[in-house]
Amino acid sequence: MTRTRSRYAPDRGLTTRMVTTMFLIGLLYVVLVGVLLAVMRGAWPIILIITGGMFVAQFWFSDRIAAFSMGAREVTPEQAPELHGAIDRICALADMSKPRVAIAESDVPNAFATGRSEKSALVCATTGLLRRLEPEELEGVLAHEMSHVAHRDVAVMTIASFLGVLAGMITRVALWGGFSRSSRSNDPMGIAIMLIPLVSAVVYALSFLLTRLLSRYRELSADRTAALLTGRPSALASALTKVSGQMARIPTEDLRKAEPYNAFYFVPAFSSKESLSRLLSSHPTLEQRLDQLARISADLSRP
């Protein structure tokens, strides 16, 4: 019988934010497709087929594509007994089905989870992370990643990011293609066609901001629920501090390769203290994460 609930603490704030984000993203999606259908009336079957096909591909295959792109290689308990043992303990604590377990050959110390459901989930740690963390620290990081699976926010982020991908693609096609040639004419169709790259760019920007806001909150939620599940917020704080500190020693070239997948990672490859950069960041600051874990530790230590 499939389990529907885990022992991870429920997060109503995360659920509310996911539902709100999906609703707003859906409205943007309707606006974008509506503009395309209004401007390109004769091509509506093609538009619906392309957008529908991309959505299906994004939902069903993006986790596999992401795992492949990040070099994740599934391993057996014999090949990685420490990693499997840590995940087994977390699954027992959380009353969850065990996900697929993978390792990525990278010196960048990090971990990530992918999968649209608990059944298809994959949790991966890099060789750099496994080399640097103590067992309790590793367990804290993996509990964080398993929280993403339990709350299904990986699937929500996958769906939410689709509109941004589509809008960005349309914008690039419009700029590189022949839409600009029609803008020289004064006929209504030429003016309408000019709206396509403009609307696409606005939709891309709004969807980007919405997903970033959700991403930062879900990371704080995963820290919180992982700390409560394991009962060791100090171990997770230690892992955060160690991983963030080690990032400065990783060659910039390796960090640049990892940067496109920041939204998946436990800690971003690059982070900034500038206010604008923090607004666009996929993760909260290290200080925010450590402050939250310190409060949880104080609460757990009270009699």
Side-chain angles (χ1 to χ4, degrees):
M1 184 174 178
T2 304
R3 295 185 180 95
T4 56
R5 297 180 67 88
S6 72
R7 292 189 184 127
Y8 274 99
D11 191 325
R12 293 182 180 177
L14 177 61
T15 302
T16 301
R17 283 166 172 80
M18 287 195 294
V19 171
T20 303
T21 299
M22 290 301 295
F23 176 74
L24 294 174
I25 287 286
L27 284 180
L28 290 174
Y29 183 76
V30 170
V31 170
L32 178 60
V33 174
V35 169
L36 290 175
L37 291 175
V39 173
M40 306 170 69
R41 296 177 185 176
W44 67 266
I46 298 175
I47 293 171
L48 293 180
I49 290 172
I50 291 176
T51 54
M54 286 188 64
F55 179 82
V56 171
Q58 179 84 357
F59 182 72
W60 286 96
F61 302 114
S62 62
D63 56 334
R64 300 179 195 177
I65 294 171
F68 176 79
S69 301
M70 289 183 274
R73 173 180 57 85
E74 285 192 54
V75 291
T76 64
E78 292 73 28
Q79 293 171 318
E82 181 183 353
L83 181 58
H84 271 273
I87 291 179
D88 284 337
R89 287 191 294 275
I90 295 164
C91 289
L93 279 174
D95 192 24
M96 289 177 64
S97 302
K98 186 176 181 179
R100 292 174 293 146
V101 180
I103 289 178
E105 294 289 337
S106 172
D107 194 44
V108 178
N110 237 317
F112 62 89
T114 66
R116 62 187 179 276
S117 66
E118 186 177 326
K119 187 178 292 186
S120 63
L122 177 142
V123 174
C124 178
T126 65
T127 51
L129 185 81
L130 296 174
R131 242 188 346 261
R132 290 174 171 89
L133 296 189
E134 298 298 323
E136 284 191 355
E137 295 170 335
L138 176 63
E139 194 167 304
V141 172
L142 295 174
H144 169 105
E145 296 304 327
M146 288 288 289
S147 174
H148 288 315
V149 176
H151 291 145
R152 304 194 179 191
D153 54 64
V154 176
V156 172
M157 286 296 293
T158 297
I159 298 171
S161 65
F162 165 74
L163 181 60
V165 172
L166 178 62
M169 183 189 71
I170 292 172
T171 303
R172 287 192 293 272
V173 170
L175 293 175
W176 294 343
F179 287 173
S180 59
R181 290 195 293 273
S182 299
S183 63
R184 299 192 187 104
S185 60
N186 294 321
D187 65 289
M189 182 57 70
I191 296 173
I193 289 179
M194 286 177 61
L195 291 175
I196 294 179
L198 177 61
V199 171
S200 298
V202 171
V203 168
Y204 175 78
L206 290 175
S207 62
F208 180 86
L209 289 174
L210 285 171
T211 53
R212 292 298 181 177
L213 285 169
L214 175 59
S215 180
R216 289 194 293 276
Y217 185 88
R218 83 186 189 112
E219 293 300 330
L220 287 173
S221 175
D223 284 346
R224 181 169 56 253
T225 53
L228 292 173
L229 180 74
T230 61
R232 291 193 295 268
S234 59
L236 182 55
S238 176
L240 271 168
T241 303
K242 187 179 290 187
V243 171
S244 298
Q246 289 291 320
M247 284 294 183
R249 303 181 183 180
I250 303 298
T252 302
E253 182 181 353
D254 293 340
L255 293 178
R256 290 291 181 196
K257 291 178 181 177
E259 189 177 16
Y261 310 107
N262 270 352
F264 286 95
Y265 280 135
F266 171 63
V267 170
F270 287 102
S271 60
S272 174
K273 295 184 178 179
E274 298 296 328
S275 56
L276 180 59
S277 297
R278 279 161 49 182
L279 177 66
L280 302 178
S281 174
S282 59
H283 288 63
T285 63
L286 176 63
E287 290 76 15
Q288 287 175 301
R289 299 175 77 173
L290 293 179
D291 285 347
Q292 176 182 244
L293 290 171
R295 290 194 300 271
I296 294 172
S297 182
D299 289 342
L300 290 177
S301 63
R302 290 190 187 123

